[in-house]
Amino acid sequence: MSNIYEKLGVRTVINAVGPATRLSGGVMRPEVADAMRQASQHCVDMAELQAAASAVIARLTGAEAGYVTSGAAAGLLIGTAACVTGLDPLAMNRLPDTTGLRDEVLIPRSHRNFYDHAIRTTGVKLIEVGIADRFSGAGVRDTEAWEIAAAIGPRTAAVCYVAYGHSLPPLEQVVQVAHTANVPVIVDAAGQLPPAANLRHFIDSGADLVAFSGGKAIGGPQSSGILCGRRDLVSAAALQHLDQDILPELWRPPAALIDRERLPGAPQHGIGRPCKVGKEEIVGLLTALELFAAEDPEARRERWQALMTNLVEACRNLPHAHAQLVRDRKRPEIPVVHLDVDEEAAGMTALELVAQLQDGTPCIHANPSDVRDGRVIFGPLCLQPHEPEQIGRRLHQVLGQQA
Ligand SMILES: *Cc1c(COP(=O)(O)O)cnc(C)c1O
């Protein structure tokens, strides 16, 4: 099969990891790719396009306003900037110098992760709260809401909350203590779809801003994301992201996104300007989002389950390994396959098996997060219908060599 990557001498990958950025995300639906192509054929006013996007995102999330970013991480960056500056253009111009501004963001210690670089980019300092004692075998406790309440001070710009099924303290409690002190809560919900109900859940729980990835399960362009929440904060984020190289006399931002009356003047290019989003990404994201929200969740799960069932079938009689369809209690919407390797009999570790899949032809990427337990995980989100069989064939080859 010939494709555009062959011309570049780049291998295509069978992606059983999921929409990871290093593996280029997923495969877009034709409707999304076509929408992007159509978008590319005209020029538009980007602020006007973002205002239209805001209306779509607001309808589907229940938030007051929304904005298309170049990813969830970019959403965290401009969302944090919005919490620091509010609608003050002078403060916007000053970032990442936070002199005289509220320059601290609180985060439960267990929520810290590689993506918090996006928050720190604005110039704020992350203040870790509490101790994730449940990490130890003996411990049961994590950060508690009263500890966040006690850590809030005059320099607190926001509380950052990274949403997972196992995140503690509960979001509602964090929102309550933060709002009591008039501090906004930013939720990183990058990978928390499905369930589609989460489009509304974090907003319903009182979050002031929520960041989602567009390139994960939504199925939008890899370099897209959503920031939604309070109108004034989305407006402040937009002002620090949009191209501002415009004469004041010609500046006519759409009122639905930016209320000029509340501003003494226009800010310069803001701290979000390097995270630019193209019209193609915006239109692609909106198209994917509508499709994602409209798809029957049960039909979506069945589509993924069929891929995983086919993979289990293709792994039948595999030597020295057992494949099993698993519906994780924490992520029941996404069925996965666990391949448990009898490492001694196979003469290779699960990690070595992952490496062989990755280094072979076809190039197959599997999820290695449980290899220390002798387990390789395969996920359905980025697989195409013919690929489970290809994975099974390759597994028979690799594990059969040792038999
Ligand atoms: C994927 C992810 C991100 C980054 O999302 P992008 O859309 O790639 O920017 C941020 N936070 C968490 C928890 C994620 O899983």
Side-chain angles (χ1 to χ4, degrees):
M1 192 173 60
S2 149
N3 66 52
I4 201 154
Y5 291 110
E6 261 174 33
K7 261 199 246 171
L8 297 165
V10 173
R11 293 172 303 165
T12 55
V13 163
I14 293 179
N15 178 2
V17 171
T21 297
R22 66 186 172 283
L23 295 175
S24 74
V27 175
M28 269 182 215
R29 293 210 206 189
E31 300 97 306
V32 178
D34 186 52
M36 292 181 77
R37 194 197 59 75
Q38 287 186 44
S40 74
Q41 296 305 298
H42 307 273
C43 289
V44 295
D45 181 293
M46 290 302 284
E48 197 181 317
L49 180 57
Q50 285 282 15
S54 177
V56 174
I57 294 166
R59 167 167 54 79
L60 293 173
T61 61
E64 289 175 5
Y67 196 77
V68 180
T69 63
S70 55
L76 294 177
L77 194 163
I78 60 174
T80 303
C83 293
V84 171
T85 64
L87 287 165
D88 176 359
L90 288 172
M92 294 178 189
N93 293 348
R94 204 179 313 151
L95 290 187
D97 174 359
T98 55
T99 310
L101 302 172
R102 285 172 297 150
D103 61 352
E104 293 179 354
V105 172
L106 306 182
I107 186 168
R109 190 180 305 265
S110 59
H111 294 213
R112 290 231 36 197
N113 64 76
F114 288 180
Y115 295 106
D116 62 37
H117 218 112
I119 297 166
R120 290 182 287 123
T121 299
T122 60
V124 303
K125 204 167 163 210
L126 271 176
I127 309 290
E128 297 178 359
V129 182
I131 292 189
D133 190 47
R134 65 181 162 142
F135 179 79
S136 80
V140 291
R141 291 168 63 182
D142 205 310
T143 304
E144 292 173 20
W146 63 268
E147 294 177 290
I148 294 175
I152 291 175
R155 299 178 75 160
T156 309
V159 178
C160 176
Y161 189 95
V162 183
Y164 280 101
H166 55 272
S167 298
L168 285 173
L171 177 60
E172 289 80 357
Q173 293 179 15
V174 174
V175 164
Q176 205 212 328
V177 299
H179 286 183
T180 300
N182 253 328
V183 167
V185 176
I186 306 174
V187 173
D188 176 354
Q192 296 310 297
L193 302 170
N198 276 353
L199 281 171
R200 293 178 173 273
H201 170 68
F202 305 108
I203 292 291
D204 285 348
S205 303
D208 299 271
L209 285 173
V210 182
F212 293 105
S213 282
K216 292 182 178 167
I218 290 176
Q222 165 62 9
S223 56
S224 71
I226 293 169
L227 182 68
C228 61
R230 251 166 60 189
R231 181 178 300 285
D232 60 321
L233 291 175
V234 170
S235 186
L239 283 159
Q240 296 178 82
H241 181 264
L242 290 166
D243 181 4
Q244 290 295 109
D245 208 354
I246 186 164
L247 279 175
E249 296 85 349
L250 298 176
W251 191 46
R252 293 178 183 75
L257 190 64
I258 291 164
D259 182 2
R260 255 198 92 156
E261 304 295 305
R262 290 182 68 177
L263 299 160
Q268 304 158 1
H269 284 340
I271 194 148
R273 178 64 182 77
C275 312
K276 114 176 181 182
V277 186
K279 57 185 181 294
E280 298 84 1
E281 277 76 26
I282 296 175
V283 170
L285 179 278
L286 294 177
T287 306
L289 179 62
E290 295 275 16
L291 289 168
F292 175 81
E295 185 175 15
D296 171 25
E298 197 48 33
R300 173 160 44 227
R301 199 189 58 76
E302 275 168 19
R303 186 159 52 80
W304 287 335
Q305 174 135 340
L307 287 163
M308 295 290 91
T309 305
N310 290 349
L311 179 57
V312 170
E313 189 58 31
C315 289
R316 250 201 318 175
N317 303 324
L318 207 54
H320 317 311
H322 177 69
Q324 190 186 356
L325 186 78
V326 176
R327 228 178 135 173
D328 191 336
R329 214 159 33 89
K330 282 190 211 133
R331 262 355 255 285
E333 308 85 7
I334 308 180
V336 296
V337 167
H338 286 179
L339 184 73
D340 289 307
V341 183
D342 181 345
E343 296 185 325
E344 206 164 309
M348 75 175 80
T349 63
L351 176 59
E352 284 163 345
L353 176 59
V354 171
Q356 285 216 34
L357 292 175
Q358 190 173 316
D359 296 339
T361 308
C363 171
I364 298 167
H365 282 260
N367 178 348
S369 46
D370 281 3
V371 289
R372 288 178 197 88
D373 299 325
R375 173 175 294 162
V376 183
I377 303 174
F378 297 86
L381 262 66
C382 302
L383 286 182
Q384 311 206 51
H386 59 284
E387 290 177 336
E389 200 191 317
Q390 281 179 287
I391 297 172
R393 218 177 305 140
R394 181 69 188 138
L395 281 169
H396 274 281
Q397 239 175 28
V398 175
L399 288 161
Q401 279 166 7
Q402 313 291 325

